[in-house]
């Protein structure tokens, strides 16, 4: 071409943040969090993985993985002839992002393949581990998800090293797009720390975060703020692992067992590492951190250099011997990272050089390892492990199983021949309810009980709303709303709840139904009354079979994190937060797996049903409270009203003609009129020809909430 023509593509229009509406108007509510993982991103939209994975040749898969452990590649050689340490690290870092505050992170979706996780500094060179697994993924295809494969590879790595693992479950379903709804911290730079309100108070780590620094899975291996101090690091380790639902014994077992095989790499200049995968050049094909001669003993990963044990390719108890029976001093690796090395260690106890087995080097420990020796409580546990190695095997194998399966949800989600028979308390067990009962007769008993529509609907909602899709915890199954800690949560209105439960428990006893079913069925009865009151005949579906959990099998500490501190659907906020109520609503809706349309429909319906917390009038835009009408949307969009602030989070809706206040509202009510997308949905439901559509849509999304975490596993 003799002349360069003007390119017909709008450069950057699809990629630059400066071109997005949220950049033009930063205070505009961004609804993207509700539309992650749309079906359009899924190349297998009709594929049922949980059904197809059961057809795997499990024994063949296991053999292939064990063979892979010693199949060293020129492009990424195995340490001492085994990839076991690399695959353990991959599985650990895949699962280790889980946090109990919101159930996000973890290994359940295969999100380790996507940014930002694929490019975190703490995940350096794990892109090679995933690429080593590709031939196995290619062979078994759709029947084996990446999420399952990455964790199973870690399990097989331990078995290859000599440990009998506790078990494994298949069933993790891959996502096909980065999880942009996960908040990893506000920092803009890797290894930056802006997540403590008080740096001296290490418990002031910002919720829901668990890691201490942007781009790290847990704590800084060199010490707090990169300075060696095992006692300070012990505080960070304890807080971080507590936020992953791990106690001291589990934390100590994971540290000891996790570092009993494998090694760290820092035998070079970290400054020579190439860019991370997300920033690498196109010809690097998804590989990151590339450097010349960066293979074998010259890898730079964490920057620390050396093995923790004499024989890092074998499961044994050398770690405890070295940690407890020798003095250690702080030194620097060739890459300049702080690490600990033993004083006066015998030559035969030193691990071999990666290339020349005749040469031996000192082992090393991180600051977190030294915390297991210096911290008084951790020291007691490590000494117990040292004296009783079988106790370590037991505690580590169970802790590893918990780490890698925490976000799979109840045991009913588990699949495959290696699922342990034992049910563990962190799996939130619910016994099956086997008694049959007549649903129609029970509905009549509830209808005649004297409980109001508001009481029935609110109680059913409160029981079910704890479910979160992230780790599949909570929900209506188990009726834990009647147990501690849920029965005393402010958001559940304990006085009202006690009254309603007394009536419903009596009906359950009389009918033979589970209390969990009765609570949900109560919501059905209340909703059908409201539908009839609105002049409609839409029926509300009901699925029976929920069981009743016991207090004994309810981990109170673990369930505390499910407490609703805000619930836009019942117009409840426990206190003021640094973010706006409408933003809290989006996060809540996202955890429930709701779309923007479903969220809109639910809020409008809950308001007219009179289901607000403590009976507050805010957002109840109707004169027919208790009837499932579209009045919320009709009055929200009616220009005969004007809207004026009356407080920080309160507004008056005033008749223009009389200048009198007709309704009151909060920000989460008015956002459905102010946000252009939400208003578009609100206008659909306000139309005269969509009254019946609103009722049907509300029933559909209501049923989705009531069945969440229950129907999917039954």
């Amino acid at each position: 071409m003799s002349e360069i023509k003007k390119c017909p593509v709008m450069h950057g229009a699809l990629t630059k943040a400066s071109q997005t509406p949220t950049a033009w108007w930063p205070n505009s509510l961004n609804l993207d969090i509700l539309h992650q993982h749309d079906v359009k991103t899924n190349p297998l939209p009709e594929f049922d993985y949980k059904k197809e994975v059961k057809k795997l040749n499990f024994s063949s898969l296991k053999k292939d993985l064990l063979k892979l452990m010693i199949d060293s590649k020129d492009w990424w050689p195995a340490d001492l002839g085994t990839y076991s340490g690399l695959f353990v690290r991959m599985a650990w870092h895949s699962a280790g992002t889980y946090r109990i505050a919101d159930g996000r992170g973890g290994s359940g979706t295969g999100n380790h393949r996507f940014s930002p996780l694929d490019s975190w500094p703490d995940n350096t060179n794990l892109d090679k581990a995933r690429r080593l697994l590709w031939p196995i993924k290619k062979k078994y295809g759709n029947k084996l998800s990446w999420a399952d494969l990455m964790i199973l590879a870690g399990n097989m790595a331990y078995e290859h090293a000599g440990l009998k693992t506790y078990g494994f479950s298949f069933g993790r379903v891959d996502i096909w797009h980065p999880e942009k709804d996960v908040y990893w911290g506000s920092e803009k730079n890797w290894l930056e720390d802006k997540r403590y309100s008080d740096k001296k108070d290490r418990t002031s780590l910002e919720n829901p975060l668990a890691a201490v620094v942007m781009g790290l899975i847990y704590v800084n291996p060199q010490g707090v703020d990169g300075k060696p101090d095992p006692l300070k690091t012990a505080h960070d380790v304890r807080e971080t692992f507590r936020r992953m639902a791990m106690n001291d014994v589990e934390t100590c077992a994971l540290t000891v067992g996790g570092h009993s095989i494998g090694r760290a790499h820092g035998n070079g200049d970290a400054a020579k590492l190439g860019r991370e995968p997300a920033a690498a050049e196109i010809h690097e094909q998804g590989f990151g951190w590339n450097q010349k001669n960066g293979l074998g003993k010259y890898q730079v990963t964490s920057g620390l250099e050396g093995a923790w044990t004499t024989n890092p390719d074998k499961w044994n108890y050398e770690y405890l011997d070295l940690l407890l029976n020798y003095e250690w001093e702080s030194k620097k690796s060739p890459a300049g990272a702080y690490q600990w090395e033993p004083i006066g260690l015998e030559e035969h106890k030193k691990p071999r050089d990666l290339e020349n087995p005749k040469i031996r080097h000192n082992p090393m420990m991180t600051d977190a390892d030294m915390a297991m020796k210096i911290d008084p409580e951790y020291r007691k546990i490590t000494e117990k492990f040292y004296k009783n190695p079988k106790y370590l095997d037991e505690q580590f194998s169970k802790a590893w199983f918990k780490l890698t399966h925490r976000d799979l949800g109840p045991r009913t989600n588990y699949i495959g021949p290696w699922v342990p028979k034992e049910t563990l308390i962190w799996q939130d067990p619910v016994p099956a309810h086997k008694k049959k009962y007549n649903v129609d007769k029970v509905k009549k008993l509830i209808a005649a009980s004297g409980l109001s529509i508001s009481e029935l609907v609110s109680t059913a909602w409160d029981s079910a709303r704890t479910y979160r899709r992230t780790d599949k915890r909570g929900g209506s199954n188990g009726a834990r709303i009647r147990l501690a800690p849920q029965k005393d949560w402010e958001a559940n209105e304990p006085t009202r709840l006690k009254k309603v439960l007394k009536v419903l428990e009596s009906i359950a006893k009389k009918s033979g139904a589970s209390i969990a079913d009765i609570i949900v069925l109560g919501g059905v009865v209340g909703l059908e009354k409201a539908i009839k009151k609105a002049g409609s005949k839409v029926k509300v579906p009901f699925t029976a079979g929920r069981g009743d959990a016991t207090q004994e099998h309810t981990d109170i500490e673990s369930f505390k994190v499910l407490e609703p501190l805000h619930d836009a659907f019942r117009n409840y906020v426990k206190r003021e937060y640094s973010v706006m109520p409408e933003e809290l609503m989006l996060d809540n809706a996202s955890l429930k797996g709701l779309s923007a349309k479903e969220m809109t429909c639910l809020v409008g319906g809950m308001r007219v049903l009179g289901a607000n917390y403590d009976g507050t009038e805010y957002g109840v835009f109707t004169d027919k409270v208790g009837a499932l009408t579209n009045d919320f949307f009709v009055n929200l969009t009616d220009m005969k009203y004007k809207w004026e602030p009356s407080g920080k989070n309160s507004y008056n809706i005033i008749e223009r003609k009389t200048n009198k206040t007709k309704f009151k509202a909060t920000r989460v009510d008015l956002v459905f009129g102010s946000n252009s997308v939400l208003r578009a949905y609100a206008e659909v439901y306000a139309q005269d020809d969509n009254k019946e559509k609103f009722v049907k849509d509300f029933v559909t999304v209501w049923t989705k909430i009531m069945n969440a975490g229950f129907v999917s596993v039954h």
Side-chain angles (χ1 to χ4, degrees):
M1 293 177 67
S2 59
E3 181 183 352
I4 297 177
K5 301 290 186 181
K6 181 180 179 182
C7 182
V9 176
M10 295 172 60
H11 287 285
L14 302 178
T15 58
K16 291 184 180 178
S18 60
Q19 299 295 317
T20 63
T22 53
W24 286 327
W25 300 287
N27 293 327
S28 179
L29 195 64
N30 187 342
L31 301 175
D32 287 353
I33 190 175
L34 302 184
H35 301 129
Q36 295 294 301
H37 316 304
D38 185 89
V39 292
K40 292 177 182 178
T41 69
N42 189 347
L44 305 166
E46 305 300 325
F47 184 74
D48 186 345
Y49 177 67
K50 292 191 175 184
K51 178 181 178 182
E52 294 300 318
V53 71
K54 296 174 183 177
K55 301 175 184 178
L56 265 177
N57 186 329
F58 299 108
S59 60
S60 175
L61 173 60
K62 183 173 183 177
K63 288 177 183 177
D64 285 346
L65 279 168
L66 290 173
K67 181 181 178 182
L68 176 64
M69 295 298 156
I70 54 174
D71 189 11
S72 186
K73 308 294 183 184
D74 290 339
W75 57 268
W76 199 256
D79 291 345
L80 301 175
T82 176
Y83 289 117
S84 55
L86 179 64
F87 286 139
V88 162
R89 178 168 167 257
M90 177 192 60
W92 194 330
H93 284 221
S94 175
T97 53
Y98 173 79
R99 70 254 184 132
I100 59 172
D102 58 7
R104 292 188 169 102
S107 61
T109 61
N111 59 3
H112 214 251
R113 298 174 293 151
F114 303 114
S115 59
L117 297 179
D118 70 336
S119 297
W120 273 12
D122 221 4
N123 290 334
T124 302
N125 290 328
L126 289 179
D127 52 344
K128 284 73 176 179
R130 292 190 297 274
R131 203 62 62 88
L132 285 165
L133 287 174
W134 168 240
I136 290 180
K137 177 68 174 87
K138 180 176 181 291
K139 175 180 178 179
Y140 292 95
N142 296 336
K143 293 185 178 67
L144 178 62
S145 70
W146 271 109
D148 277 344
L149 178 57
M150 286 188 280
I151 299 302
L152 182 59
N155 259 39
M156 292 301 100
Y158 272 115
E159 292 203 5
H160 172 70
L163 172 72
K164 180 176 173 54
T165 57
Y166 181 71
F168 176 83
S169 171
F170 293 88
R172 300 165 184 82
V173 181
D174 285 337
I175 55 172
W176 301 96
H177 194 270
E179 289 188 308
K180 294 181 179 179
D181 59 338
V182 179
Y183 175 68
W184 297 116
S186 62
E187 298 91 346
K188 302 301 181 185
N189 299 306
W190 294 127
L191 305 181
E192 192 176 36
D193 163 22
K194 292 184 179 179
R195 50 189 64 192
Y196 290 93
S197 58
D198 180 356
K199 289 277 284 188
K200 294 181 180 179
D201 177 11
R202 306 303 286 182
T203 64
S204 68
L205 179 64
E206 179 189 1
N207 266 321
L209 305 176
V212 303
V213 172
M214 169 60 77
L216 293 184
I217 303 297
Y218 303 117
V219 303
N220 193 327
Q222 300 185 61
V224 177
D225 294 328
K227 300 173 184 176
D229 189 333
L231 275 179
K232 282 187 177 180
T233 294
H235 287 288
D236 274 7
V237 170
R238 185 168 280 113
E239 182 65 22
T240 288
F241 276 77
R242 183 184 70 81
R243 293 181 179 215
M244 294 170 57
M246 298 290 178
N247 60 33
D248 275 1
V249 173
E250 292 167 328
T251 301
C252 191
L254 284 170
T255 304
V256 174
H259 292 166
S260 286
I261 65 173
R263 56 169 289 130
H265 297 87
N267 192 24
D269 185 355
K272 292 182 179 179
L273 279 175
R275 296 299 303 275
E276 63 274 16
E281 295 292 340
I282 195 168
H283 67 271
E284 295 179 276
Q285 289 291 283
F287 264 7
W289 304 289
N290 296 313
Q291 60 173 337
K292 291 183 179 179
N293 300 320
L295 301 178
K297 68 183 293 183
Y298 299 107
Q299 293 175 35
V300 176
T301 299
S302 66
L304 284 75
E305 170 60 23
W308 284 270
T309 65
T310 311
N311 296 286
D313 55 337
K314 294 179 174 62
W315 174 265
N316 53 39
Y317 313 104
E318 294 168 348
Y319 176 99
L320 293 168
D321 172 43
L322 296 175
L323 179 70
L324 297 175
N325 295 329
Y326 293 87
E327 293 301 315
W328 294 72
E329 60 182 342
S330 179
K331 287 194 172 185
K332 281 199 171 183
S333 74
Y338 282 110
Q339 61 186 47
W340 293 82
E341 296 185 21
I343 300 171
L345 182 66
E346 300 93 328
E347 191 69 15
H348 73 276
K349 287 192 175 183
K350 295 179 180 181
R352 292 167 289 157
D353 184 81
L354 283 177
E355 293 184 348
N356 187 347
K358 294 181 180 180
I359 300 174
R360 291 180 178 266
H361 304 280
N362 260 343
M364 67 85 215
M365 295 279 176
T366 69
D367 219 50
D369 294 306
M370 296 309 296
M372 302 298 111
K373 176 186 179 84
I374 303 300
D375 179 84
E377 293 305 312
Y378 286 143
R379 175 73 184 232
K380 291 177 186 175
I381 300 166
T382 52
E383 287 182 345
K384 187 173 182 180
F385 288 156
Y386 182 61
K387 294 174 183 176
N388 186 355
K390 288 186 178 180
Y391 179 62
L392 170 63
D393 289 356
E394 176 190 343
Q395 292 301 316
F396 172 74
S397 59
K398 281 193 171 184
W400 174 260
F401 181 77
K402 180 178 179 180
L403 174 75
T404 53
H405 291 74
R406 189 70 170 89
D407 56 348
L408 259 183
R411 193 173 177 276
T412 44
N413 289 325
Y414 286 31
I415 297 169
W418 306 316
V419 175
K421 293 181 180 180
E422 182 181 9
T423 299
L424 306 164
I425 191 169
W426 56 263
Q427 294 171 323
D428 303 337
V430 176
H433 189 81
K434 298 179 181 178
K435 291 183 180 179
K436 294 184 178 180
Y437 60 95
N438 188 306
V439 172
D440 290 333
K441 285 184 178 179
V442 172
K443 287 175 70 174
K444 289 177 181 178
L445 289 173
I446 296 172
S449 68
L451 294 174
S452 68
I453 290 174
S454 172
E455 288 171 328
L456 290 170
V457 168
S458 297
T459 303
W461 174 265
D462 291 352
S463 178
R465 68 175 165 189
T466 53
Y467 179 79
R468 53 192 196 187
R469 60 171 176 78
T470 48
D471 57 0
K472 304 169 185 64
R473 301 191 66 210
S476 63
N477 193 24
R480 283 191 166 90
I481 194 171
R482 74 197 200 286
L483 307 174
Q486 296 188 33
K487 66 183 180 64
D488 299 313
W489 287 345
E490 178 185 288
N492 286 343
E493 299 174 275
T495 301
R496 183 262 306 163
L497 177 62
K498 186 176 181 180
K499 170 199 168 185
V500 175
L501 285 180
K502 185 177 180 180
V503 175
L504 296 183
E505 286 172 348
S506 174
I507 294 173
K509 188 176 181 179
K510 185 182 299 183
S511 65
S514 68
I515 301 169
D517 268 0
I518 291 292
I519 291 172
V520 173
L521 201 49
V524 170
V525 170
L527 199 50
E528 287 184 341
K529 282 186 176 182
I531 292 170
K532 184 177 180 180
K533 196 174 179 181
S536 179
K537 296 180 180 180
V538 175
K539 291 295 181 183
V540 182
F542 171 75
T543 303
R546 295 166 187 79
D548 294 329
T550 64
Q551 189 69 69
E552 178 187 6
H553 291 121
T554 300
D555 183 356
I556 292 178
E557 272 305 305
S558 178
F559 270 94
K560 282 181 180 178
V561 299
L562 298 183
E563 180 182 0
L565 303 180
H566 54 86
D567 182 358
F569 303 100
R570 294 197 63 211
N571 229 340
Y572 168 77
V573 180
K574 190 170 185 177
R575 60 178 177 81
E576 288 185 7
Y577 297 95
S578 58
V579 295
M580 292 292 101
E582 60 268 31
E583 294 175 289
L584 295 174
M585 173 177 65
L586 291 188
D587 187 67
N588 190 332
S590 172
L591 287 176
K592 287 177 169 55
L594 299 175
S595 67
K597 186 205 79 170
E598 289 173 326
M599 178 183 74
T600 302
C601 185
L602 261 178
V603 168
M606 293 290 280
R607 292 294 186 273
V608 297
L609 289 170
N612 275 354
Y613 171 79
D614 201 27
T616 177
E617 61 184 321
Y618 288 93
V620 185
F621 304 158
T622 183
D623 293 323
K624 298 172 284 187
V625 179
L628 189 60
T629 65
N630 64 342
D631 285 359
F632 174 88
F633 303 108
V634 170
N635 289 309
L636 178 71
T637 56
D638 197 326
M639 288 304 296
K640 72 180 179 182
Y641 298 113
K642 59 183 179 178
W643 314 269
E644 294 182 357
S646 58
K648 188 172 182 180
N649 182 32
S650 59
Y651 301 82
N652 290 330
I653 297 182
I654 301 168
E655 287 182 324
R656 296 179 187 273
K657 190 174 183 180
T658 64
N659 209 36
K660 291 182 179 179
T661 298
K662 176 65 174 177
F663 303 116
K664 294 185 177 182
T666 65
R667 289 185 65 91
V668 294
D669 300 313
L670 294 191
V671 75
F672 292 95
S674 67
N675 179 274
S676 59
V677 176
L678 295 180
R679 186 177 184 89
Y681 292 134
E683 288 173 347
V684 167
Y685 288 128
Q687 291 174 188
D688 293 344
D689 62 347
N690 279 336
K691 292 180 181 180
E692 193 77 354
K693 172 181 172 53
F694 164 66
V695 173
K696 290 179 179 178
D697 284 1
F698 184 87
V699 167
T700 298
V701 68
W702 170 270
T703 305
K704 174 180 175 176
I705 295 292
M706 293 300 115
N707 290 344
F710 164 63
V711 170
S712 62
V713 297
H714 284 74

